[in-house]
PDB file of all heavy atoms in Angstrom:
ATOM      1  N   SER A  41      16.779   7.442   1.686  1.00 93.00           N
ATOM      2  CA  SER A  41      17.467   8.604   2.235  1.00 93.00           C
ATOM      3  C   SER A  41      17.070   8.618   3.702  1.00 93.00           C
ATOM      4  O   SER A  41      15.884   8.671   4.002  1.00 93.00           O
ATOM      5  CB  SER A  41      16.961   9.887   1.587  1.00 93.00           C
ATOM      6  OG  SER A  41      17.290   9.900   0.237  1.00 93.00           O
ATOM      7  N   ARG A 210      29.214  18.909  -7.618  1.00 94.00           N
ATOM      8  CA  ARG A 210      28.968  20.284  -7.216  1.00 94.00           C
ATOM      9  C   ARG A 210      30.280  21.040  -7.091  1.00 94.00           C
ATOM     10  O   ARG A 210      31.367  20.443  -7.133  1.00 94.00           O
ATOM     11  CB  ARG A 210      28.267  20.312  -5.857  1.00 94.00           C
ATOM     12  CG  ARG A 210      26.948  19.581  -5.834  1.00 94.00           C
ATOM     13  CD  ARG A 210      26.298  19.745  -4.451  1.00 94.00           C
ATOM     14  NE  ARG A 210      25.057  18.988  -4.400  1.00 94.00           N
ATOM     15  CZ  ARG A 210      24.941  17.775  -3.863  1.00 94.00           C
ATOM     16  NH1 ARG A 210      26.000  17.187  -3.313  1.00 94.00           N
ATOM     17  NH2 ARG A 210      23.794  17.150  -3.874  1.00 94.00           N
ATOM     18  N   THR A 211      30.168  22.324  -6.902  1.00 94.00           N
ATOM     19  CA  THR A 211      31.338  23.168  -6.739  1.00 94.00           C
ATOM     20  C   THR A 211      32.245  22.662  -5.623  1.00 94.00           C
ATOM     21  O   THR A 211      33.460  22.738  -5.708  1.00 94.00           O
ATOM     22  CB  THR A 211      30.885  24.614  -6.418  1.00 94.00           C
ATOM     23  OG1 THR A 211      29.893  24.980  -7.368  1.00 94.00           O
ATOM     24  CG2 THR A 211      32.045  25.567  -6.520  1.00 94.00           C
ATOM     25  N   GLY A 304      -0.913  -2.735  -6.244  1.00 91.00           N
ATOM     26  CA  GLY A 304      -0.164  -2.693  -7.492  1.00 91.00           C
ATOM     27  C   GLY A 304       0.277  -4.058  -7.966  1.00 91.00           C
ATOM     28  O   GLY A 304       0.616  -4.237  -9.116  1.00 91.00           O
ATOM     29  N   GLU A 386     -11.266 -12.675  17.819  1.00 94.00           N
ATOM     30  CA  GLU A 386     -12.352 -12.735  16.826  1.00 94.00           C
ATOM     31  C   GLU A 386     -12.994 -11.375  16.612  1.00 94.00           C
ATOM     32  O   GLU A 386     -13.710 -11.156  15.655  1.00 94.00           O
ATOM     33  CB  GLU A 386     -13.446 -13.684  17.303  1.00 94.00           C
ATOM     34  CG  GLU A 386     -13.069 -15.139  17.320  1.00 94.00           C
ATOM     35  CD  GLU A 386     -13.228 -15.783  15.951  1.00 94.00           C
ATOM     36  OE1 GLU A 386     -14.295 -15.608  15.350  1.00 94.00           O
ATOM     37  OE2 GLU A 386     -12.270 -16.439  15.499  1.00 94.00           O
ATOM     38  N   ARG A 387     -12.804 -10.511  17.586  1.00 95.00           N
ATOM     39  CA  ARG A 387     -13.500  -9.224  17.468  1.00 95.00           C
ATOM     40  C   ARG A 387     -12.592  -8.010  17.525  1.00 95.00           C
ATOM     41  O   ARG A 387     -12.998  -6.944  17.956  1.00 95.00           O
ATOM     42  CB  ARG A 387     -14.640  -9.135  18.476  1.00 95.00           C
ATOM     43  CG  ARG A 387     -14.304  -9.504  19.886  1.00 95.00           C
ATOM     44  CD  ARG A 387     -15.529 -10.047  20.627  1.00 95.00           C
ATOM     45  NE  ARG A 387     -15.432 -11.485  20.771  1.00 95.00           N
ATOM     46  CZ  ARG A 387     -16.479 -12.303  20.884  1.00 95.00           C
ATOM     47  NH1 ARG A 387     -17.685 -11.836  20.872  1.00 95.00           N
ATOM     48  NH2 ARG A 387     -16.285 -13.588  21.027  1.00 95.00           N
ATOM     49  N   ARG A 466     -23.497  -8.189  31.784  1.00 96.00           N
ATOM     50  CA  ARG A 466     -22.408  -7.783  30.908  1.00 96.00           C
ATOM     51  C   ARG A 466     -21.967  -6.362  31.231  1.00 96.00           C
ATOM     52  O   ARG A 466     -20.774  -6.087  31.371  1.00 96.00           O
ATOM     53  CB  ARG A 466     -22.856  -7.867  29.446  1.00 96.00           C
ATOM     54  CG  ARG A 466     -21.720  -7.853  28.437  1.00 96.00           C
ATOM     55  CD  ARG A 466     -22.217  -7.784  27.010  1.00 96.00           C
ATOM     56  NE  ARG A 466     -23.226  -8.793  26.711  1.00 96.00           N
ATOM     57  CZ  ARG A 466     -22.940 -10.059  26.449  1.00 96.00           C
ATOM     58  NH1 ARG A 466     -21.702 -10.469  26.448  1.00 96.00           N
ATOM     59  NH2 ARG A 466     -23.907 -10.934  26.200  1.00 96.00           N
ATOM     60  N   SER A 475     -19.310  -7.468  24.554  1.00 96.00           N
ATOM     61  CA  SER A 475     -18.182  -8.225  25.095  1.00 96.00           C
ATOM     62  C   SER A 475     -18.270  -9.640  24.549  1.00 96.00           C
ATOM     63  O   SER A 475     -19.234  -9.988  23.888  1.00 96.00           O
ATOM     64  CB  SER A 475     -18.259  -8.262  26.625  1.00 96.00           C
ATOM     65  OG  SER A 475     -19.090  -9.327  27.063  1.00 96.00           O
TER      66      SER A 475
ATOM     67  P     U B  18      -4.259  -1.642  -7.534  1.00 60.33           P
ATOM     68  OP1   U B  18      -2.795  -1.581  -7.525  1.00 60.33           O
ATOM     69  OP2   U B  18      -5.059  -0.780  -8.419  1.00 60.33           O
ATOM     70  O5'   U B  18      -4.676  -3.169  -7.734  1.00 60.33           O
ATOM     71  C5'   U B  18      -5.020  -3.672  -9.004  1.00 60.33           C
ATOM     72  C4'   U B  18      -5.737  -4.979  -8.779  1.00 60.33           C
ATOM     73  O4'   U B  18      -7.045  -4.723  -8.214  1.00 60.33           O
ATOM     74  C3'   U B  18      -6.040  -5.750 -10.054  1.00 60.33           C
ATOM     75  O3'   U B  18      -4.885  -6.521 -10.400  1.00 60.33           O
ATOM     76  C2'   U B  18      -7.195  -6.639  -9.618  1.00 60.33           C
ATOM     77  O2'   U B  18      -6.756  -7.743  -8.863  1.00 60.33           O
ATOM     78  C1'   U B  18      -7.975  -5.683  -8.694  1.00 60.33           C
ATOM     79  N1    U B  18      -9.066  -4.983  -9.375  1.00 60.33           N
ATOM     80  C2    U B  18     -10.140  -5.756  -9.787  1.00 60.33           C
ATOM     81  O2    U B  18     -10.190  -6.958  -9.610  1.00 60.33           O
ATOM     82  N3    U B  18     -11.146  -5.055 -10.414  1.00 60.33           N
ATOM     83  C4    U B  18     -11.185  -3.713 -10.673  1.00 60.33           C
ATOM     84  O4    U B  18     -12.158  -3.233 -11.245  1.00 60.33           O
ATOM     85  C5    U B  18     -10.042  -2.977 -10.215  1.00 60.33           C
ATOM     86  C6    U B  18      -9.040  -3.627  -9.602  1.00 60.33           C
ATOM     87  P     U B  42     -29.378 -16.916  22.040  1.00 60.33           P
ATOM     88  OP1   U B  42     -29.284 -17.874  23.134  1.00 60.33           O
ATOM     89  OP2   U B  42     -30.641 -16.770  21.262  1.00 60.33           O
ATOM     90  O5'   U B  42     -28.968 -15.485  22.548  1.00 60.33           O
ATOM     91  C5'   U B  42     -29.904 -14.688  23.249  1.00 60.33           C
ATOM     92  C4'   U B  42     -29.162 -13.627  23.983  1.00 60.33           C
ATOM     93  O4'   U B  42     -28.463 -14.238  25.098  1.00 60.33           O
ATOM     94  C3'   U B  42     -28.057 -12.980  23.177  1.00 60.33           C
ATOM     95  O3'   U B  42     -28.590 -11.894  22.435  1.00 60.33           O
ATOM     96  C2'   U B  42     -27.105 -12.494  24.276  1.00 60.33           C
ATOM     97  O2'   U B  42     -27.519 -11.273  24.841  1.00 60.33           O
ATOM     98  C1'   U B  42     -27.248 -13.592  25.332  1.00 60.33           C
ATOM     99  N1    U B  42     -26.177 -14.599  25.329  1.00 60.33           N
ATOM    100  C2    U B  42     -24.966 -14.276  25.934  1.00 60.33           C
ATOM    101  O2    U B  42     -24.760 -13.178  26.412  1.00 60.33           O
ATOM    102  N3    U B  42     -24.030 -15.250  25.948  1.00 60.33           N
ATOM    103  C4    U B  42     -24.167 -16.525  25.436  1.00 60.33           C
ATOM    104  O4    U B  42     -23.235 -17.314  25.529  1.00 60.33           O
ATOM    105  C5    U B  42     -25.431 -16.790  24.812  1.00 60.33           C
ATOM    106  C6    U B  42     -26.378 -15.841  24.793  1.00 60.33           C
ATOM    107  P     U B  43     -27.969 -11.474  21.078  1.00 60.33           P
ATOM    108  OP1   U B  43     -29.047 -10.996  20.200  1.00 60.33           O
ATOM    109  OP2   U B  43     -27.083 -12.576  20.641  1.00 60.33           O
ATOM    110  O5'   U B  43     -27.054 -10.227  21.451  1.00 60.33           O
ATOM    111  C5'   U B  43     -27.655  -9.033  21.984  1.00 60.33           C
ATOM    112  C4'   U B  43     -26.551  -8.094  22.376  1.00 60.33           C
ATOM    113  O4'   U B  43     -25.792  -8.680  23.461  1.00 60.33           O
ATOM    114  C3'   U B  43     -25.514  -7.851  21.296  1.00 60.33           C
ATOM    115  O3'   U B  43     -25.934  -6.812  20.423  1.00 60.33           O
ATOM    116  C2'   U B  43     -24.310  -7.427  22.107  1.00 60.33           C
ATOM    117  O2'   U B  43     -24.402  -6.094  22.533  1.00 60.33           O
ATOM    118  C1'   U B  43     -24.429  -8.333  23.327  1.00 60.33           C
ATOM    119  N1    U B  43     -23.653  -9.577  23.222  1.00 60.33           N
ATOM    120  C2    U B  43     -22.283  -9.471  23.398  1.00 60.33           C
ATOM    121  O2    U B  43     -21.724  -8.406  23.590  1.00 60.33           O
ATOM    122  N3    U B  43     -21.600 -10.652  23.336  1.00 60.33           N
ATOM    123  C4    U B  43     -22.123 -11.896  23.118  1.00 60.33           C
ATOM    124  O4    U B  43     -21.369 -12.867  23.103  1.00 60.33           O
ATOM    125  C5    U B  43     -23.541 -11.927  22.939  1.00 60.33           C
ATOM    126  C6    U B  43     -24.242 -10.792  22.992  1.00 60.33           C
ATOM    127  P     C B  44     -25.587  -6.891  18.888  1.00 60.33           P
ATOM    128  OP1   C B  44     -26.206  -5.711  18.256  1.00 60.33           O
ATOM    129  OP2   C B  44     -25.894  -8.253  18.395  1.00 60.33           O
ATOM    130  O5'   C B  44     -24.008  -6.699  18.874  1.00 60.33           O
ATOM    131  C5'   C B  44     -23.419  -5.460  19.260  1.00 60.33           C
ATOM    132  C4'   C B  44     -21.923  -5.614  19.324  1.00 60.33           C
ATOM    133  O4'   C B  44     -21.580  -6.565  20.364  1.00 60.33           O
ATOM    134  C3'   C B  44     -21.279  -6.216  18.083  1.00 60.33           C
ATOM    135  O3'   C B  44     -21.060  -5.227  17.088  1.00 60.33           O
ATOM    136  C2'   C B  44     -19.967  -6.727  18.641  1.00 60.33           C
ATOM    137  O2'   C B  44     -19.042  -5.683  18.842  1.00 60.33           O
ATOM    138  C1'   C B  44     -20.411  -7.267  19.999  1.00 60.33           C
ATOM    139  N1    C B  44     -20.713  -8.713  19.939  1.00 60.33           N
ATOM    140  C2    C B  44     -19.651  -9.612  20.112  1.00 60.33           C
ATOM    141  O2    C B  44     -18.518  -9.159  20.312  1.00 60.33           O
ATOM    142  N3    C B  44     -19.896 -10.943  20.058  1.00 60.33           N
ATOM    143  C4    C B  44     -21.136 -11.378  19.839  1.00 60.33           C
ATOM    144  N4    C B  44     -21.325 -12.706  19.786  1.00 60.33           N
ATOM    145  C5    C B  44     -22.239 -10.486  19.655  1.00 60.33           C
ATOM    146  C6    C B  44     -21.976  -9.172  19.715  1.00 60.33           C
ATOM    147  P     A B  45     -21.138  -5.627  15.527  1.00 60.33           P
ATOM    148  OP1   A B  45     -20.690  -4.427  14.806  1.00 60.33           O
ATOM    149  OP2   A B  45     -22.471  -6.229  15.244  1.00 60.33           O
ATOM    150  O5'   A B  45     -20.043  -6.790  15.359  1.00 60.33           O
ATOM    151  C5'   A B  45     -18.675  -6.449  15.276  1.00 60.33           C
ATOM    152  C4'   A B  45     -17.827  -7.687  15.462  1.00 60.33           C
ATOM    153  O4'   A B  45     -18.245  -8.399  16.646  1.00 60.33           O
ATOM    154  C3'   A B  45     -17.870  -8.754  14.395  1.00 60.33           C
ATOM    155  O3'   A B  45     -17.114  -8.414  13.248  1.00 60.33           O
ATOM    156  C2'   A B  45     -17.199  -9.896  15.140  1.00 60.33           C
ATOM    157  O2'   A B  45     -15.814  -9.693  15.250  1.00 60.33           O
ATOM    158  C1'   A B  45     -17.848  -9.753  16.520  1.00 60.33           C
ATOM    159  N9    A B  45     -19.025 -10.623  16.598  1.00 60.33           N
ATOM    160  C8    A B  45     -20.350 -10.307  16.438  1.00 60.33           C
ATOM    161  N7    A B  45     -21.146 -11.353  16.499  1.00 60.33           N
ATOM    162  C5    A B  45     -20.294 -12.418  16.701  1.00 60.33           C
ATOM    163  C6    A B  45     -20.509 -13.801  16.837  1.00 60.33           C
ATOM    164  N6    A B  45     -21.712 -14.361  16.784  1.00 60.33           N
ATOM    165  N1    A B  45     -19.421 -14.598  17.036  1.00 60.33           N
ATOM    166  C2    A B  45     -18.217 -14.024  17.086  1.00 60.33           C
ATOM    167  N3    A B  45     -17.872 -12.733  16.961  1.00 60.33           N
ATOM    168  C4    A B  45     -18.978 -11.982  16.770  1.00 60.33           C
ATOM    169  P     U B  46     -17.461  -9.077  11.839  1.00 60.33           P
ATOM    170  OP1   U B  46     -16.523  -8.493  10.862  1.00 60.33           O
ATOM    171  OP2   U B  46     -18.923  -9.007  11.611  1.00 60.33           O
ATOM    172  O5'   U B  46     -17.081 -10.605  12.051  1.00 60.33           O
ATOM    173  C5'   U B  46     -15.723 -10.984  12.277  1.00 60.33           C
ATOM    174  C4'   U B  46     -15.657 -12.441  12.615  1.00 60.33           C
ATOM    175  O4'   U B  46     -16.523 -12.723  13.741  1.00 60.33           O
ATOM    176  C3'   U B  46     -16.164 -13.385  11.541  1.00 60.33           C
ATOM    177  O3'   U B  46     -15.150 -13.628  10.583  1.00 60.33           O
ATOM    178  C2'   U B  46     -16.482 -14.633  12.344  1.00 60.33           C
ATOM    179  O2'   U B  46     -15.301 -15.351  12.668  1.00 60.33           O
ATOM    180  C1'   U B  46     -17.057 -14.037  13.630  1.00 60.33           C
ATOM    181  N1    U B  46     -18.533 -13.959  13.589  1.00 60.33           N
ATOM    182  C2    U B  46     -19.230 -15.148  13.740  1.00 60.33           C
ATOM    183  O2    U B  46     -18.684 -16.226  13.896  1.00 60.33           O
ATOM    184  N3    U B  46     -20.597 -15.024  13.704  1.00 60.33           N
ATOM    185  C4    U B  46     -21.317 -13.867  13.538  1.00 60.33           C
ATOM    186  O4    U B  46     -22.548 -13.908  13.526  1.00 60.33           O
ATOM    187  C5    U B  46     -20.520 -12.676  13.388  1.00 60.33           C
ATOM    188  C6    U B  46     -19.182 -12.759  13.416  1.00 60.33           C
ATOM    189  P     C B  81      21.146  22.690 -11.120  1.00 60.33           P
ATOM    190  OP1   C B  81      20.157  23.506 -10.466  1.00 60.33           O
ATOM    191  OP2   C B  81      21.835  23.233 -12.288  1.00 60.33           O
ATOM    192  O5'   C B  81      22.269  22.310 -10.059  1.00 60.33           O
ATOM    193  C5'   C B  81      22.630  20.948  -9.844  1.00 60.33           C
ATOM    194  C4'   C B  81      23.407  20.927  -8.552  1.00 60.33           C
ATOM    195  O4'   C B  81      24.701  21.520  -8.834  1.00 60.33           O
ATOM    196  C3'   C B  81      22.691  21.786  -7.501  1.00 60.33           C
ATOM    197  O3'   C B  81      22.169  20.963  -6.453  1.00 60.33           O
ATOM    198  C2'   C B  81      23.716  22.939  -7.145  1.00 60.33           C
ATOM    199  O2'   C B  81      24.000  23.054  -5.765  1.00 60.33           O
ATOM    200  C1'   C B  81      25.013  22.486  -7.877  1.00 60.33           C
ATOM    201  N1    C B  81      25.691  23.594  -8.530  1.00 60.33           N
ATOM    202  C2    C B  81      26.968  23.918  -8.029  1.00 60.33           C
ATOM    203  O2    C B  81      27.410  23.289  -7.078  1.00 60.33           O
ATOM    204  N3    C B  81      27.676  24.927  -8.602  1.00 60.33           N
ATOM    205  C4    C B  81      27.155  25.588  -9.643  1.00 60.33           C
ATOM    206  N4    C B  81      27.888  26.559 -10.185  1.00 60.33           N
ATOM    207  C5    C B  81      25.863  25.279 -10.146  1.00 60.33           C
ATOM    208  C6    C B  81      25.171  24.281  -9.575  1.00 60.33           C
ATOM    209  P     C B  82      22.443  20.599  -5.080  1.00 60.33           P
ATOM    210  OP1   C B  82      22.352  21.804  -4.232  1.00 60.33           O
ATOM    211  OP2   C B  82      23.696  19.876  -5.222  1.00 60.33           O
ATOM    212  O5'   C B  82      21.422  19.562  -4.478  1.00 60.33           O
ATOM    213  C5'   C B  82      20.160  19.325  -5.017  1.00 60.33           C
ATOM    214  C4'   C B  82      19.463  18.548  -3.930  1.00 60.33           C
ATOM    215  O4'   C B  82      18.057  18.742  -4.054  1.00 60.33           O
ATOM    216  C3'   C B  82      19.664  17.046  -4.023  1.00 60.33           C
ATOM    217  O3'   C B  82      20.874  16.624  -3.420  1.00 60.33           O
ATOM    218  C2'   C B  82      18.463  16.561  -3.236  1.00 60.33           C
ATOM    219  O2'   C B  82      18.701  16.684  -1.854  1.00 60.33           O
ATOM    220  C1'   C B  82      17.381  17.578  -3.660  1.00 60.33           C
ATOM    221  N1    C B  82      16.567  17.085  -4.788  1.00 60.33           N
ATOM    222  C2    C B  82      15.358  16.445  -4.469  1.00 60.33           C
ATOM    223  O2    C B  82      15.041  16.349  -3.284  1.00 60.33           O
ATOM    224  N3    C B  82      14.581  15.968  -5.462  1.00 60.33           N
ATOM    225  C4    C B  82      14.974  16.092  -6.721  1.00 60.33           C
ATOM    226  N4    C B  82      14.176  15.606  -7.665  1.00 60.33           N
ATOM    227  C5    C B  82      16.207  16.734  -7.081  1.00 60.33           C
ATOM    228  C6    C B  82      16.979  17.202  -6.089  1.00 60.33           C
ATOM    229  P     A B  83      21.610  15.263  -3.856  1.00 60.33           P
ATOM    230  OP1   A B  83      22.790  15.123  -2.996  1.00 60.33           O
ATOM    231  OP2   A B  83      21.747  15.219  -5.325  1.00 60.33           O
ATOM    232  O5'   A B  83      20.543  14.148  -3.458  1.00 60.33           O
ATOM    233  C5'   A B  83      20.344  13.762  -2.094  1.00 60.33           C
ATOM    234  C4'   A B  83      19.153  12.816  -2.051  1.00 60.33           C
ATOM    235  O4'   A B  83      18.028  13.474  -2.694  1.00 60.33           O
ATOM    236  C3'   A B  83      19.327  11.527  -2.848  1.00 60.33           C
ATOM    237  O3'   A B  83      19.982  10.534  -2.086  1.00 60.33           O
ATOM    238  C2'   A B  83      17.890  11.147  -3.171  1.00 60.33           C
ATOM    239  O2'   A B  83      17.250  10.552  -2.082  1.00 60.33           O
ATOM    240  C1'   A B  83      17.272  12.521  -3.426  1.00 60.33           C
ATOM    241  N9    A B  83      17.324  12.879  -4.855  1.00 60.33           N
ATOM    242  C8    A B  83      18.327  13.513  -5.529  1.00 60.33           C
ATOM    243  N7    A B  83      18.079  13.692  -6.808  1.00 60.33           N
ATOM    244  C5    A B  83      16.828  13.119  -6.984  1.00 60.33           C
ATOM    245  C6    A B  83      16.002  12.974  -8.112  1.00 60.33           C
ATOM    246  N6    A B  83      16.342  13.415  -9.331  1.00 60.33           N
ATOM    247  N1    A B  83      14.814  12.356  -7.946  1.00 60.33           N
ATOM    248  C2    A B  83      14.489  11.918  -6.731  1.00 60.33           C
ATOM    249  N3    A B  83      15.179  12.000  -5.587  1.00 60.33           N
ATOM    250  C4    A B  83      16.350  12.619  -5.791  1.00 60.33           C
TER     251        A B  83
END
Side-chain angles (χ1 to χ4, degrees):
Chain A
S41 295
R210 301 183 183 98
T211 311
E386 291 277 311
R387 49 208 105 207
R466 196 186 309 281
S475 85

